[in-house]
């Protein structure tokens, strides 16, 4: 009778050992198979746009005739300021019920906290507003052309200049040095292409 208990224990251990060895083999095969894919290879994946990006001048020339839309998208998350997709910045309390800032009380495409030579601004919403100006298209096209890695993937998913500006003005990894300090803490929201700090460049 005691030998039956021993056999049961051995069977359990054998089964567990087999399961463990199969799992270990599976992990090793997967690790070995993926070892050729470096981070750089992932960075070099091409991301294709499915639709052409809609630029501000395209919207203006497509029959809006300068009239405000019935509804606007806006930057949503600002505690004090918001920017709508027409490029107007307003206080959250003054946002109209249709999601637009009042065009009679606010300036369109405001760059008043921005260093337009660098393409960086002190206030996120004003960065987006300045970025939405149709004359910023060439700057944005260069930023998209020079993008790499996750930014390329992100830029491939945006549908228009508003979405591009929302994404571009969020803190860009190239606007920091040593990964934890802003190059310029006064103007940290950038719509233009920012060259990576030497601490982020590949040697």
């Amino acid at each position: 009778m005691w030998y039956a208990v021993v056999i049961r224990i051995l069977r359990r251990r054998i089964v567990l050992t087999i399961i463990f060895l199969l799992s270990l083999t599976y992990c090793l095969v997967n690790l070995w198979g993926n070892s050729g894919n470096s981070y750089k290879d992932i960075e070099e994946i091409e991301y294709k746009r499915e639709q052409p990006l809609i630029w501000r001048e395209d919207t203006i020339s497509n029959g809006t005739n300068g009239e405000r839309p019935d509804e606007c998208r806006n930057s949503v998350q600002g505690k004090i300021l918001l920017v709508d997709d027409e490029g107007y910045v307003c206080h959250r309390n003054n946002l109209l019920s249709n999601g637009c800032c009042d065009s009679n009380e606010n300036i369109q495409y405001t760059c008043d906290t921005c260093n337009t030579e660098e393409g960086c601004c002190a206030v996120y919403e004003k960065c987006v507003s300045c970025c939405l100006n149709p004359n910023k298209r060439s700057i944005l096209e260069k930023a998209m052309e020079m993008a790499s890695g996750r930014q390329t993937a992100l830029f491939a998913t945006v549908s228009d200049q508003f979405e591009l500006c929302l994404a571009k003005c969020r803190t860009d990894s190239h606007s920091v040095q040593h990964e934890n300090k802003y190059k310029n803490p006064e103007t940290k929201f950038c719509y233009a292409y920012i060259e990576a700090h030497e601490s982020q460049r590949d040697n």
Side-chain angles (χ1 to χ4, degrees):
M1 198 163 186
W2 59 268
Y3 59 89
V5 173
V6 171
I7 289 173
R8 261 188 260 146
I9 291 170
L10 286 175
R11 280 184 185 164
R12 283 187 199 155
R13 287 192 178 170
I14 289 172
V15 169
L16 290 174
T17 304
I18 290 170
I19 290 171
F20 172 75
L21 289 174
L22 287 173
S23 299
L24 182 64
T25 305
Y26 176 78
C27 289
L28 290 173
V29 166
N30 278 330
L31 284 173
W32 182 69
N34 292 332
S35 62
N37 296 334
S38 68
Y39 182 71
K40 234 175 181 179
D41 294 334
I42 294 166
E43 288 269 311
E44 291 168 6
I45 294 171
E46 271 193 52
Y47 294 94
K48 304 270 184 188
R49 293 193 60 77
E50 293 183 13
Q51 299 285 332
L53 194 136
I54 300 167
W55 296 97
R56 284 292 300 159
E57 55 261 33
D58 296 344
T59 306
I60 292 164
S61 64
N62 284 340
T64 60
N65 298 325
E67 294 176 16
R68 296 295 318 263
D70 294 333
E71 290 187 9
C72 297
R73 293 169 294 161
N74 61 62
S75 55
V76 181
Q77 80 272 15
K79 289 181 182 177
I80 299 168
L81 297 176
L82 294 171
V83 56
D84 68 22
D85 56 5
E86 295 288 302
Y88 290 95
V89 178
C90 60
H91 284 270
R92 177 175 280 284
N93 299 343
N94 298 334
L95 189 72
L96 301 175
S97 59
N98 63 359
C100 300
C101 293
D102 188 344
S103 58
N104 297 320
E105 296 181 12
N106 299 286
I107 300 169
Q108 190 177 31
Y109 309 136
T110 181
C111 300
D112 63 0
T113 69
C114 304
N115 179 333
T116 51
E117 287 179 19
E118 292 178 0
C120 295
C121 310
V123 177
Y124 172 72
E125 289 77 13
K126 293 190 178 181
C127 175
V128 176
S129 177
C130 191
C131 171
L132 279 170
N133 193 319
N135 69 18
K136 298 292 188 285
R137 177 172 176 171
S138 59
I139 293 169
L140 291 168
E141 284 176 335
K142 181 182 179 186
M144 290 174 71
E145 185 183 311
M146 303 299 285
S148 61
R150 282 178 287 179
Q151 261 197 342
T152 306
L154 176 62
F155 293 163
T157 64
V158 299
S159 62
D160 61 15
Q161 190 168 342
F162 178 63
E163 290 181 4
L164 175 61
C165 290
L166 286 174
K168 189 70 186 89
C169 286
R170 285 192 184 99
T171 305
D172 187 329
S173 62
H174 289 168
S175 68
V176 294
Q177 56 187 347
H178 309 296
E179 299 180 4
N180 62 1
K181 185 179 177 186
Y182 289 111
K183 289 182 191 177
N184 184 344
E186 298 299 312
T187 54
K188 57 191 176 189
F189 303 105
C190 302
Y191 56 82
Y193 170 71
I194 305 295
E195 194 164 322
H197 185 266
E198 59 190 20
S199 65
Q200 295 175 295
R201 292 177 199 150
D202 295 329
N203 295 326

